Amino acid sequence: MKTGFKKSLALLLAVFMAFGAAPFALGIAVFAADDDYMLKSISITPDEATVVQGETLTLQVSGAYVNRYNPTDITSKSIKNDDVLWTSSDSTLASVSSEGVVTANKICESVTITAFDKTDSSIKNTCVIKVTKAPTYVESITWNWAKSALLVGATYEITESDYTMIPDKPDNAEVELTCSPASALQIAADGKSFKVNPLPTGSGNLVVTLTLTAKGAGKDCKPATKQMTVLADIPLGSVKWDYVVGSTGITLFKYWDDSASKKKNFHPYKYTAYDKDGRPLDASALSLCDIKITSADNRVVRPYDACQYFIPVGNGMAEITITIKTPKGVTRSDTIKVKIDDSPYTPITVLGIGYDEKNTDAGASFDSASNTVTLMYTRGIQLTAQMDEKAKLDQDAITVATDDGESVKIVSKTEYKWSSSDESVATVDKNGKVTCVSKGNAVITLTVNDGGKEFVKTVNIKGTMSWWQIVIAVFFCIITGNWGKIGNYI
């Protein structure tokens, strides 16, 4: 009996578990997956970001859901971007689509993107966007280094003027230099300066390839290459002008040159540098030398454009000199005389010092025979420079037009400088107005610089006092008791 009851109870429990407990358990499962979870908060990923102007960023949204019957039961899951509302604090800076795609429009420090729950606008979150300038990459790099050779033992440095980048100022303007063969140079850690190593014994001159790579290069930017000849020495022997010298020993040049020159009125230099054996030096060797062209009188002929041309300026004769100096200090030069005629400009010639009567006080006199100005105390005289009548005094400069449309000013403005040897006797201003300060003697000097040619002229100043000025001076000394300067007046 007892055994049968136990078996019946066990069977009853089994049936209950099979048909009664199962629906109850199923009910619990349905409860957990139904609408009994409500949205508590949302979050945006990322919550802050930097976006390049013109580019886009897709934001992601997730939500935290809490069980309305069990507040400790919180779960997180993603939310579709179009299930929330998106806004921007300033769409002109950064806009956002209904799918949460942010477009960076203008450079700014911050703009706020907000996501709202569609059913409850109090549930929201934000993302801060910073818009930056689009990076500028180097599109191309080219050499413009004038040198075509390197000297053994010399040290060189590549500067910004030795290459050209497009665009001019990329975000990363750094460059790196390499050489092939690498053993030819000792390149410093900065990747720009280097020293040329000695040549292998018996190898003669060596041709190397220098490669300049832009660190901020774009995907289509290729490195710049340049072939250079490595020289053991520059055996400079002499340099000679190549112009034909006439029987008078001068070369004539017309100011208005209608020949087939690249630049109208610009005469190209013609010279040849020779080695110690009288053979013309290679252009690559000359590229390492310091070449200077100077004129003895810039009012007649003037160098222009990095020693490529000289410009006839005014009628007259001057010497032009070419000087070549090697990196080791060997210097050679040659001079030739040049005569210019048919120029519209006549160089200024200062003949002496005169004066302007209209701007001169009474009590002043100018004795041209003794070149002496006599001035009464406190009175003044306006001195002037006496010029050659042929000089164009109102012409500050001459402008020469070139065939390529360039305008070049070739004569500097004439400069005047006045000075006094004793300002306790007479002072002079920058315009040549002299004022007597006391009795005595002084020398006024005029220095005129016209395009490099300097003229110096002087005039003597004698300071005097009238009898009544002396009386006033003595009376002043009696009143003040200051007799220290009475000798300046009597």
Side-chain angles (χ1 to χ4, degrees):
M1 181 69 179
K2 292 182 179 180
T3 303
F5 175 76
K6 290 181 179 179
K7 289 182 178 180
S8 299
L9 182 59
L11 180 61
L12 179 61
L13 289 173
V15 171
F16 173 79
M17 291 298 297
F19 297 99
F24 179 77
L26 181 61
I28 294 296
V30 170
F31 174 79
D34 265 340
D35 295 335
D36 292 329
Y37 282 93
M38 59 182 181
L39 183 64
K40 181 180 181 181
S41 63
I42 60 176
S43 60
I44 303 175
T45 304
D47 58 359
E48 62 179 26
T50 299
V51 186
V52 174
Q53 184 181 16
E55 296 187 357
T56 62
L57 172 68
T58 300
L59 302 178
Q60 303 296 330
V61 185
S62 61
Y65 292 83
V66 60
N67 188 322
R68 68 178 73 244
Y69 299 107
N70 183 8
T72 61
D73 181 11
I74 300 175
T75 184
S76 177
K77 64 178 180 178
S78 61
I79 302 175
K80 292 182 179 180
N81 281 8
D82 55 1
D83 284 343
V84 295
L85 296 176
W86 296 92
T87 62
S88 170
S89 61
D90 191 338
S91 295
T92 63
L93 302 178
S95 57
V96 60
S97 71
S98 59
E99 289 79 24
V101 179
V102 177
T103 301
N105 299 321
K106 290 184 180 180
I107 298 172
C108 65
E109 282 300 314
S110 68
V111 59
T112 302
I113 304 298
T114 305
F116 297 89
D117 178 33
K118 284 185 175 181
T119 59
D120 186 354
S121 61
S122 66
I123 301 177
K124 61 183 179 179
N125 213 328
T126 60
C127 170
V128 177
I129 300 293
K130 178 180 180 180
V131 181
T132 60
K133 181 177 73 71
T136 304
Y137 298 103
V138 180
E139 299 174 6
S140 67
I141 180 171
T142 55
W143 282 102
N144 49 23
W145 204 18
K147 292 180 175 59
S148 59
L150 303 172
L151 188 64
V152 167
T155 299
Y156 301 89
E157 182 178 4
I158 305 301
T159 65
E160 291 182 0
S161 63
D162 297 324
Y163 57 87
T164 299
M165 281 185 178
I166 298 177
D168 183 33
K169 294 181 179 179
D171 288 344
N172 186 352
E174 292 296 317
V175 296
E176 184 177 15
L177 178 71
T178 56
C179 176
S180 178
S183 58
L185 307 180
Q186 297 178 33
I187 301 177
D190 61 9
K192 295 181 181 180
S193 56
F194 61 91
K195 183 177 181 180
V196 184
N197 292 327
L199 294 171
T201 304
S203 64
N205 294 338
L206 175 67
V207 177
V208 300
T209 300
L210 298 185
T211 300
L212 201 60
T213 303
K215 292 185 178 180
K219 62 179 181 179
D220 297 326
C221 178
K222 297 181 180 179
T225 60
K226 181 179 178 66
Q227 285 194 328
M228 308 282 284
T229 302
V230 178
L231 304 176
D233 192 13
I234 301 177
L236 178 63
S238 63
V239 58
K240 296 292 182 183
W241 287 108
D242 292 338
Y243 298 111
V244 177
V245 179
S247 57
T248 58
I250 60 175
T251 301
L252 301 178
F253 295 97
K254 297 285 186 180
Y255 181 83
W256 299 110
D257 178 24
D258 294 326
S259 64
S261 175
K262 179 181 179 182
K263 294 179 179 288
K264 186 177 181 180
N265 304 320
F266 286 39
H267 293 279
Y269 294 126
K270 299 177 181 179
Y271 60 86
T272 303
Y274 300 91
D275 64 16
K276 296 177 181 178
D277 296 324
R279 296 170 299 190
L281 276 179
D282 185 80
S284 60
L286 278 179
S287 73
L288 297 176
C289 299
D290 182 19
I291 303 176
K292 290 185 178 180
I293 309 292
T294 57
S295 171
D297 192 345
N298 286 332
R299 305 173 310 147
V300 177
V301 61
R302 175 171 296 190
Y304 175 73
D305 193 15
C307 299
Q308 297 299 313
Y309 302 93
F310 69 82
I311 310 171
V313 178
N315 294 328
M317 183 181 296
E319 292 183 340
I320 53 174
T321 300
I322 179 171
T323 302
I324 299 179
K325 183 179 180 180
T326 70
K328 293 186 177 181
V330 177
T331 303
R332 299 290 184 267
S333 61
D334 190 30
T335 300
I336 191 172
K337 292 182 178 180
V338 176
K339 181 179 180 182
I340 307 297
D341 59 12
D342 288 352
S343 169
Y345 172 74
T346 301
I348 290 176
T349 301
V350 181
L351 303 177
I353 297 178
Y355 74 103
D356 182 359
E357 293 185 15
K358 294 181 180 180
N359 295 303
T360 296
D361 299 334
S365 62
F366 195 148
D367 182 4
S368 58
S370 63
N371 193 36
T372 300
V373 173
T374 301
L375 276 180
M376 193 177 295
Y377 174 64
T378 71
R379 303 299 172 85
I381 185 172
Q382 178 63 60
L383 299 180
T384 60
Q386 292 180 319
M387 304 292 187
D388 188 332
E389 294 180 357
K390 296 179 181 180
K392 297 187 177 182
L393 303 181
D394 59 344
Q395 188 165 280
D396 291 340
I398 294 176
T399 299
V400 174
T402 66
D403 287 345
D404 56 10
E406 181 183 6
S407 294
V408 181
K409 189 175 288 187
I410 58 177
V411 177
S412 300
K413 182 177 181 179
T414 305
E415 297 178 351
Y416 301 86
K417 183 178 180 181
W418 296 89
S419 61
S420 171
S421 64
D422 190 346
E423 292 190 347
S424 67
V425 175
T427 61
V428 60
D429 65 15
K430 63 180 182 179
N431 299 314
K433 184 64 179 286
V434 180
T435 302
C436 179
V437 178
S438 67
K439 180 182 177 182
N441 298 290
V443 177
I444 301 298
T445 300
L446 167 65
T447 303
V448 179
N449 189 309
D450 177 38
K453 182 68 174 181
E454 189 173 82
F455 299 89
V456 178
K457 299 295 180 181
T458 61
V459 63
N460 301 313
I461 301 294
K462 182 179 180 181
T464 64
M465 296 188 73
S466 64
W467 66 268
W468 58 268
Q469 287 178 323
I470 295 176
V471 171
I472 293 175
V474 172
F475 178 76
F476 178 79
C477 290
I478 293 173
I479 297 298
T480 62
N482 183 7
W483 295 86
K485 293 187 177 181
I486 191 62
N488 293 341
Y489 308 116
I490 301 177

